[in-house]
Amino acid sequence: MTYPKSINNLISNLKNLPGVGEKTAERMALAMIDFDKEKLGSFSDSITDVKDKIRHCLICNNLSEEDECIICKDKTRDSGILCIVDDVRSLMLFEKNNLFNGKYHILKGLISPSNGIDPEDIDIEALINRVEKEKIKELIIAVKPSLEGEATALYIAKRLEPKNITVSKIAHGVPMGADMEYLDAITLRTALFERKKIS
Amino acid sequence: MTYPKSINNLISNLKNLPGVGEKTAERMALAMIDFDKEKLGSFSDSITDVKDKIRHCLICNNLSEEDECIICKDKTRDSGILCIVDDVRSLMLFEKNNLFNGKYHILKGLISPSNGIDPEDIDIEALINRVEKEKIKELIIAVKPSLEGEATALYIAKRLEPKNITVSKIAHGVPMGADMEYLDAITLRTALFERKKIS
């Protein structure tokens, strides 16, 4: 005997979630059976809602229920400065910690010649056009610290060189509070190379 | 800024799943946004299906889409022997490993005087009535190995004493392949106490 068909279906769907294997999916499905009907209805509705309502902001690629996201519509934000990230989670990290009051641009990936991902594939053109159209004065690149991230940052800086725009990237180095002995060599080398004079 | 409302709703619902906290729920929700519409539809439908279809078998309490579950309806199974478990997962464990070809009865919990759970609360009466009605000859108790499990097993055995029925419980002891040094004292004491003569 296996579970009734509807439970097996639920288990397969739960297994599509990141980090959820057979056993966890089974445990989740059985827990859900004990939810009351209202809770299950709300769960199912929230998935349908996300399916029907969520799209990408036409300006910055952020997740939104409208053509323009809340951040792009916000008139109180500094519209002369853009923070460039490569996924929504990075954006949320800045937002949750109230670290930045400009606007964002989410790239559709990072340039990676070895994986055949060129600037066109991640639509850098849209960013360049936006910078011109919105008369952006400063760009802060905050993409993942990796070879691909570096390549993407360099490419964007190069493209914007002719225009009088400040392009910077967030600092890499030893994270605050880190246990030095567990640091990887690349981080340590970066920290050493980018050392700052104590004045 | 936080996520759009529909994503926040989905995150709250995911947080109701066992073992899922804020960060995991967020990661799951963002992964779900990348699912195609069909996959999201199927996920939402599977929850509605479970909500609308799943109930407890009127005979054994197993999960079922009909009044009687597949096991209770199965004429090829030995209907003279009952395995008593305390949740669906235990039943599935026996089934997945093809360990038992009789029928099951799922208790609605375990007797626990200290928590105010009496035999009536877990409907032992239904089991006793079933044993009589179905002329069961043997009962194997396979509930959780705990004080509550022991109390429940003893109570059932006591209730069935007057009727000529074999009541046994699955053996407790050192699990096969276990690393002896990590065994807890209670398991070891049980194993010692229930030692068997090598003949």
Side-chain angles (χ1 to χ4, degrees):
Chain A
M1 182 244 174
T2 63
Y3 289 111
K5 192 159 162 275
S6 52
I7 299 183
N8 279 331
N9 278 344
L10 180 58
I11 292 175
S12 327
N13 279 301
L14 286 165
K15 267 164 55 187
N16 288 327
L17 295 174
V20 176
E22 180 76 34
K23 285 216 167 189
T24 309
E26 199 178 322
R27 192 159 67 101
M28 287 174 166
L30 291 181
M32 286 172 77
I33 287 160
D34 291 333
F35 288 2
D36 56 40
K37 302 248 167 194
E38 200 187 334
K39 212 161 154 187
L40 281 177
S42 145
F43 201 157
S44 160
D45 289 348
S46 69
I47 297 175
T48 314
D49 258 17
V50 159
K51 170 170 81 78
D52 296 340
K53 292 183 185 164
I54 292 299
R55 50 196 135 158
H56 291 279
C57 170
L58 295 178
I59 298 173
C60 76
N61 294 326
N62 187 14
L63 297 172
S64 175
E65 292 183 358
E66 293 167 64
D67 282 348
E68 271 186 47
C69 76
I70 309 175
I71 295 179
C72 285
K73 280 200 289 196
D74 189 343
K75 301 274 181 245
T76 68
R77 283 178 172 260
D78 185 345
S79 58
I81 179 166
L82 271 193
C83 179
I84 315 296
V85 292
D86 59 331
D87 72 9
V88 180
R89 274 196 283 177
S90 300
L91 181 156
M92 286 304 298
L93 214 56
F94 281 104
E95 285 299 301
K96 277 184 187 164
N97 295 295
N98 280 316
L99 290 173
F100 180 70
N101 195 38
K103 301 205 166 177
Y104 295 88
H105 196 89
I106 305 182
L107 296 175
K108 292 174 178 173
L110 293 172
I111 298 171
S112 171
S114 60
N115 292 310
I117 302 173
D118 296 323
E120 304 84 66
D121 297 316
I122 61 168
D123 205 4
I124 296 273
E125 220 46 45
L127 169 63
I128 307 293
N129 290 339
R130 181 177 174 197
V131 166
E132 275 180 34
K133 193 179 154 209
E134 297 184 15
K135 301 189 176 60
I136 306 291
K137 287 177 190 64
E138 190 179 347
L139 230 70
I140 299 171
I141 301 182
V143 298
K144 264 181 215 76
S146 64
L147 268 179
E148 289 77 14
E150 291 299 303
T152 309
L154 272 176
Y155 181 84
I156 293 172
K158 202 95 188 159
R159 283 292 308 270
L160 293 174
E161 219 171 33
K163 311 177 205 295
N164 190 22
I165 293 166
T166 314
V167 180
S168 60
K169 62 175 180 133
I170 53 170
H172 297 314
V174 178
M176 303 302 288
D179 201 336
M180 294 292 285
E181 64 181 310
Y182 293 116
L183 277 181
D184 61 298
I186 299 178
T187 300
L188 210 54
R189 188 185 299 151
T190 309
L192 197 63
F193 188 74
E194 307 209 345
R195 65 192 178 277
K196 297 181 91 175
K197 199 168 176 181
I198 305 167
S199 55
Chain B
M1 183 242 175
T2 63
Y3 289 110
K5 193 159 161 277
S6 53
I7 299 183
N8 279 331
N9 278 344
L10 180 58
I11 293 175
S12 325
N13 278 300
L14 286 165
K15 266 163 56 187
N16 288 326
L17 295 174
V20 177
E22 180 77 33
K23 287 216 167 189
T24 308
E26 200 176 321
R27 192 160 68 99
M28 288 175 165
L30 291 180
M32 287 172 76
I33 286 161
D34 291 333
F35 288 1
D36 56 39
K37 301 248 166 194
E38 200 187 335
K39 211 160 152 188
L40 281 178
S42 146
F43 200 157
S44 158
D45 289 349
S46 69
I47 297 175
T48 314
D49 257 17
V50 159
K51 169 171 80 80
D52 295 341
K53 292 183 184 163
I54 293 297
R55 50 197 134 157
H56 290 278
C57 168
L58 295 179
I59 297 172
C60 76
N61 292 327
N62 187 13
L63 297 172
S64 175
E65 293 183 355
E66 294 168 63
D67 282 348
E68 271 187 46
C69 75
I70 309 175
I71 295 179
C72 285
K73 281 200 289 197
D74 188 344
K75 300 275 181 245
T76 67
R77 284 178 170 260
D78 185 344
S79 59
I81 178 166
L82 271 193
C83 178
I84 314 297
V85 292
D86 59 332
D87 71 10
V88 180
R89 274 197 283 177
S90 300
L91 182 156
M92 287 303 299
L93 213 57
F94 280 104
E95 286 298 301
K96 277 184 186 164
N97 295 296
N98 281 317
L99 289 172
F100 179 68
N101 195 37
K103 301 206 166 175
Y104 295 87
H105 196 90
I106 306 181
L107 295 175
K108 295 177 178 172
L110 294 172
I111 298 172
S112 171
S114 61
N115 293 311
I117 303 173
D118 296 322
E120 304 85 65
D121 297 315
I122 61 168
D123 206 3
I124 297 271
E125 219 48 43
L127 169 64
I128 307 294
N129 290 339
R130 180 176 175 199
V131 166
E132 275 181 33
K133 194 180 154 206
E134 297 184 15
K135 301 189 177 60
I136 306 292
K137 286 178 190 62
E138 191 179 348
L139 231 70
I140 300 171
I141 300 182
V143 297
K144 266 181 214 77
S146 63
L147 267 179
E148 288 78 13
E150 291 299 302
T152 310
L154 272 176
Y155 181 84
I156 294 172
K158 203 92 189 161
R159 284 292 307 272
L160 293 174
E161 220 172 33
K163 311 176 206 294
N164 191 20
I165 294 166
T166 314
V167 180
S168 60
K169 62 174 180 137
I170 53 170
H172 298 314
V174 177
M176 302 303 288
D179 200 336
M180 294 292 285
E181 64 180 310
Y182 292 116
L183 277 181
D184 62 296
I186 298 177
T187 301
L188 210 55
R189 187 185 299 149
T190 308
L192 196 65
F193 188 74
E194 306 210 346
R195 66 191 178 278
K196 296 181 92 175
K197 198 170 178 179
I198 306 167
S199 56

